[in-house]
Amino acid sequence: MIKHLHIISFNVPYPANYGGVIDVFHKIRWLHEVGVKVHLHCFHYGRNEAKKLEQYCESVHYYPRRSWLSNFSETPYIVNSRRHPALLQRLMQDDYPIIFEGLHSCYLMNDDHLKDRIKIFRESNIEHDYYYSLMNNETNWWKKLYFKTEAWRLKKFEKIITHSNIIITVSEMDALYFSNQYAKNKVVNITSFHENDFVTAEPGKGDFILFHGNLSVPENVEAAKFLVENISTQCNYKFVIAGLNPSSQLKELANKYSNVSIVANPDDDAMNSLMHRAHIHFLYTNQTTGLKLKLINALYKGRFILLNKNMLHGVDAAEQCTIADNTNDFIVQINELMNKNFMPELLQQRQDFLKQRFNNEQNIEKLLSLIYY
């Protein structure tokens, strides 16, 4: 019997080059691989329609987000701006299961027209915690107020997920939170889908330390600044910062140091080359929210991984990483790791580890068993 599935995505999930859209796109890719007919519904958010999605989906529908006037409501702006009457009309044309991607897409979760449907809430963050973190890292008072208001609305709105049949989280820590908050709901952890179907890390030795990420995201900007100002100044090694849309301020900061370079907006081939050639992947965050997909990517593609404990939030991957939590520790570990080879036996250990964790094939089997069996 042919299986059909609706997916409501908070954004157009291609190109899959940041956060939650990576999970959405590669989930769709694997659903197609196992024969599920996906009916994708996307809300525009600074992205164009993507022909690539038609390769993996039975149908693709796009909806505009509502204007900033959606802010004048007790419903969170990120939710209220993602509602459109055509979406409900299309969902009512059949009785297929529905995945709501992130709290952003849950406006229709409690709609009476869908009360008898199988509804799956796919969590990507504990959103009110994430927005409180954004508030704490923001200096602009207007944005600070917005983040605080949105966090309050999101916490209140979150109860809508009690109308789902299954809550699927991205980390064990988040699964514990949702299990405690919504004891009557079924909560299952399935780590994020990602681009890596096999390990491509290479043994040997590189000559630089890499930090990568979306460089327009405040969390990543702060991490990049920490690396430049506190670490690169104490080491004689080369540091490369690569990612989307670095600001002029970040570029100016990096230009002050001869051992720091920025690679702006690398394409997939260029980014993969950097990840394979780097000797150390430097991962750092002040936020303990969600699952850090860049960690999964580094585990599959990189040699040594140096990070702080926050990067391991909800992820049991400490055995494959080197942990440091202050400037001195980072410098000591960099000096040690840069003098080591990433040996073939270390690569084999990485392959064995990832076969059991962060495995797309295992994830899709688990997802199908929850929805259809």
Side-chain angles (χ1 to χ4, degrees):
M1 182 178 176
I2 296 175
K3 300 177 178 68
H4 290 260
L5 177 67
H6 288 285
I7 294 180
I8 306 173
S9 179
F10 53 88
N11 204 344
V12 180
Y14 190 85
N17 57 4
Y18 82 89
V21 298
I22 295 173
D23 177 50
V24 177
F25 176 74
H26 292 289
K27 186 188 301 112
I28 291 168
R29 179 172 66 85
W30 269 89
L31 286 164
H32 172 77
E33 181 75 16
V34 297
V36 176
K37 305 293 185 182
V38 174
H39 302 271
L40 178 63
H41 306 268
C42 313
F43 282 91
H44 280 286
Y45 182 45
R47 293 186 144 211
N48 297 321
E49 297 182 6
K51 292 287 291 183
K52 181 78 170 180
L53 296 170
E54 297 173 15
Q55 180 179 332
Y56 301 104
C57 299
E58 185 71 8
S59 64
V60 183
H61 306 282
Y62 299 92
Y63 309 90
R65 280 188 71 184
R66 291 176 177 256
S67 74
W68 61 271
L69 292 172
S70 299
N71 236 324
F72 297 100
S73 168
E74 282 197 13
T75 305
Y77 172 70
I78 65 171
V79 178
N80 203 32
S81 61
R82 289 176 171 89
R83 56 189 176 93
H84 197 284
L87 172 58
L88 179 60
Q89 294 302 314
R90 288 187 175 118
L91 294 175
M92 290 169 56
Q93 290 174 6
D94 52 62
D95 61 354
Y96 306 147
I98 308 166
I99 295 181
F100 295 79
E101 294 284 353
L103 206 56
H104 316 56
S105 68
C106 288
Y107 186 83
L108 295 174
M109 178 76 79
N110 64 347
D111 192 284
D112 283 344
H113 296 94
L114 305 177
K115 66 183 181 194
D116 297 323
R117 300 287 281 277
I118 295 174
K119 290 173 286 189
I120 301 98
F121 170 59
R122 173 40 155 177
E123 175 257 0
S124 57
N125 260 322
I126 300 173
E127 292 296 343
H128 59 269
D129 283 351
Y130 176 62
Y131 272 78
Y132 278 126
S133 295
L134 291 176
M135 178 194 73
N136 290 330
N137 288 324
E138 184 57 61
T139 55
N140 180 289
W141 71 269
W142 179 248
K143 290 182 180 179
K144 205 174 187 73
L145 177 61
Y146 165 72
F147 290 140
K148 183 177 182 179
T149 303
E150 192 73 345
W152 174 80
R153 291 188 291 203
L154 285 162
K155 188 171 184 179
K156 184 177 180 181
F157 180 79
E158 188 185 77
K159 296 179 180 64
I160 200 170
I161 67 175
T162 58
H163 293 272
S164 66
N165 300 81
I166 310 164
I167 297 170
I168 300 178
T169 65
V170 295
S171 73
E172 293 290 357
M173 291 285 287
D174 290 359
L176 182 61
Y177 165 81
F178 284 101
S179 295
N180 289 335
Q181 291 292 315
Y182 307 104
K184 294 182 180 179
N185 286 77
K186 183 174 184 177
V187 178
V188 179
N189 180 56
I190 299 179
T191 56
S192 292
F193 287 82
H194 51 86
E195 66 183 88
N196 306 284
D197 295 333
F198 49 89
V199 177
T200 57
E202 300 171 357
K205 202 169 187 297
D207 65 353
F208 66 92
I209 297 109
L210 174 68
F211 174 85
H212 77 279
N214 184 340
L215 299 175
S216 64
V217 173
E219 174 188 0
N220 292 332
V221 173
E222 289 305 309
K225 287 181 178 178
F226 172 79
L227 175 63
V228 174
E229 295 175 334
N230 298 283
I231 309 298
S232 72
T233 54
Q234 305 297 316
C235 298
N236 293 321
Y237 303 108
K238 290 191 294 184
F239 293 82
V240 176
I241 298 170
L244 297 173
N245 305 323
S247 67
S248 57
Q249 291 91 339
L250 184 59
K251 291 178 182 177
E252 288 171 8
L253 177 64
N255 286 338
K256 293 179 181 178
Y257 305 96
S258 60
N259 61 332
V260 179
S261 60
I262 288 186
V263 179
N265 303 307
D267 61 21
D268 289 346
D269 288 342
M271 180 61 84
N272 286 334
S273 176
L274 286 170
M275 296 189 74
H276 289 130
R277 291 189 292 113
H279 193 66
I280 298 174
H281 284 251
F282 181 92
L283 305 176
Y284 182 87
T285 182
N286 288 319
Q287 295 186 14
T288 55
T289 56
L291 174 71
K292 309 303 181 186
L293 279 163
K294 68 175 72 175
L295 172 55
I296 295 178
N297 219 13
L299 285 166
Y300 271 89
K301 295 179 180 176
R303 294 183 175 114
F304 294 107
I305 298 168
L306 177 61
L307 44 67
N308 66 334
K309 288 179 182 175
N310 286 347
M311 284 298 308
L312 292 168
H313 172 78
V315 182
D316 184 16
E319 67 187 80
Q320 290 296 317
C321 306
T322 301
I323 302 170
D325 271 311
N326 60 59
T327 300
N328 288 337
D329 285 349
F330 275 116
I331 293 166
V332 168
Q333 296 296 349
I334 285 172
N335 287 327
E336 288 188 9
L337 292 173
M338 288 300 289
N339 288 295
K340 290 183 179 179
N341 276 304
F342 190 69
M343 304 299 288
E345 53 266 32
L346 294 176
L347 178 58
Q348 185 61 54
Q349 291 173 15
R350 181 78 59 79
Q351 290 170 331
D352 293 342
F353 172 82
L354 290 170
K355 190 174 182 180
Q356 303 301 319
R357 318 269 179 90
F358 315 125
N359 184 312
N360 284 329
E361 188 171 4
Q362 291 180 1
N363 283 353
I364 200 66
E365 290 173 0
K366 195 171 182 179
L367 181 64
L368 293 178
S369 70
L370 290 170
I371 300 174
Y372 297 107
Y373 306 117

